[in-house]
Amino acid sequence: MSEESKAEGKKDFIREIIDADLASGKHTEIVTRFPPEPNGYLHLGHAKAICLSFGISQEYSPAHCNLRFDDTNPAKEETEYVESIQEDVRWLGFDWGENLFFASDYFDQLHAFAVQMIEMGKAYVDSLPPEEIRAYRGTLTEPGKESPYRDRSVEENLDLFRRMTAGEFEEGEHILRAKIDMASPNMNMRDPAIYRIRKATHHRTGDKWCVYPMYDFTHGLSDMIEGVTHSLCTLEFEHHRPLYDWFLEELDTPCRPRQIEFARLNLTYTVMSKRFLLKLVENGRVSGWDDPRMPTISGIRRRGVTPEALRRFCQAIGVTKFNGMTDIALLDFHIREHLNAVAPRVLGVLRPLKVVITNYPEDEEEMFEAVNNPEDPEAGKRAVPFSRELYIEQDDFMEDPPRKYFRLAPGREVRLRYACYVTCQEVIKDEAGNVVELHCTYDPESRGGRTADGRKVKGTIHWVSAKHAVPATVRLFDRLFRVEDPHSEEGELEEHLNPDSLETLASCWVEPSVRDQPVGQAFQFERLGYFCLDPDTTPDQLVINRTIGLRDSWAKQAKKA
Ligand code: ATP
Ligand code: MG
């Protein structure tokens, strides 16, 4: 059992239902499924659904969770998505074992079920043009109207469906519909379509079919074929449940999966719709589906977020029946909390200012011992090189500091993290008056952070040795949207993108050990935040992503405003 699932607390309503079904003997084995449509990369909302359905399969025994691609729409699906989805589910820490399925595997069975529905007089071929079918459906306040083709004989329906299947008609000429109730208050029950003509090549079945089953028909029957016991989906499917059940009842299937709906994840400053995310990719607003600013699983993985952090976030938000908006600060909290525990600490300077230690010999260098992770005694120590010329952060020097600024200033002494004390003696400027270099002296007796006379300094700053430092490009990411709830704003979603969501710093210097960090695995630049190497890194050029800052700068800004 995973550590997250062991967490104490009241069970959610879905786990309560499962407990009751096991207690009553209704089921002896629990089977769930995660059914992505391979028309995009998975996002954080999918992570919630994955943690729920796969999480349950880990907590109960015997139990398993199927990964089923809902690939009934031939036009939109691509192999790239099928692969990325599998990679993302695995990265999140889940395993479907043998249970990898495609709805398209069931096309023969589904077609046979459709024929059976016709034979039972429960389905008919409608030949109204699509606009009329729409008009005949009625509205939420008015009942629909029956199609003039509704009472075709079984023989005629069978013949037409056979010829639809054989490719004799064009798209939209005919459609197979369930015969339920055109006056039903539930629009989904007004003779929904179950098979339509689509002359497109399918990513798995090629050109074998020119009729394809609709989602509602496919979903419940696929669950049934796989022996799913609890089919967990988001609330927008609540009004589809009567139809889900209707197909299973009419076909009198031996297995009756139960659909249970839960609230989808909505996050502030975030849009999670594959259609919109695809648009961002296509319009070049981001570098791809795995751009670290994207709310996709592959994006936050590239940013350096750990699967544990994401699982703990999903655990923390829980599962309810009420749609709401989750503050993205909660996700950030879990990212920081986990990285604080596991990320090694290193030194790096993002906006460098040169420091020359004038009383340190030019040809000398030495190593100082640095703690890899104060939160983890087993992480050990490493040696960081030090020499006469260093880089410090521009922010860590002020020529005319306000009160309470305890970092470097003219005449002021600070501690260089892990190294020694330095005092700023001289400020070198260029012709325009910009500070370009500081001349400092160091106290040779302060090595290791203590002084002979016991004097204290208030500020500690980070640094790298200029001679040893490795150059790096660092990408600072910020929220993709500048408004909390982009859906509630007027205009196109894209208008609310944060124009400053990416800042690239091209002249950073980092300690040599950063080269040895595994790509994608976050470390902490002390005092700056969590970062990781990007896959764009080459032997000559480190490219580093900021995973997250040390503190929530947005909360501070919001308070100020
Ligand atoms: P989108 O609307 O973002 O394009 P989708 O629902 O069309 O997503 P699917 O591939 O059909 O994407 O979804 C697979 C599963 O993930 C479904 O069971 C769906 O209910 C669930 N899911 C999708 N979005 C969310 C979300 N925001 N929160 C929780 N579960 C979600
Ligand atoms: Mg969908």
Side-chain angles (χ1 to χ4, degrees), residues 34-37 43 45-46 49 232 234 262 264-265 272-274:
F34 173 64
E37 185 180 349
H43 54 58
H46 295 119
L232 314 178
T234 35
F262 62 93
R264 60 189 292 119
L265 171 66
M272 283 184 290
S273 128
K274 282 183 281 185

Side-chain angles (χ1 to χ4, degrees), residues 9 28 32 145 167 257 266 294 362 416 438 466 490-491 511:
T28 50
T32 55
K145 242 173 32 185
N266 298 306
M294 289 280 269
E362 246 168 81
L416 295 180
L438 303 178
E490 283 186 19
E511 70 165 73

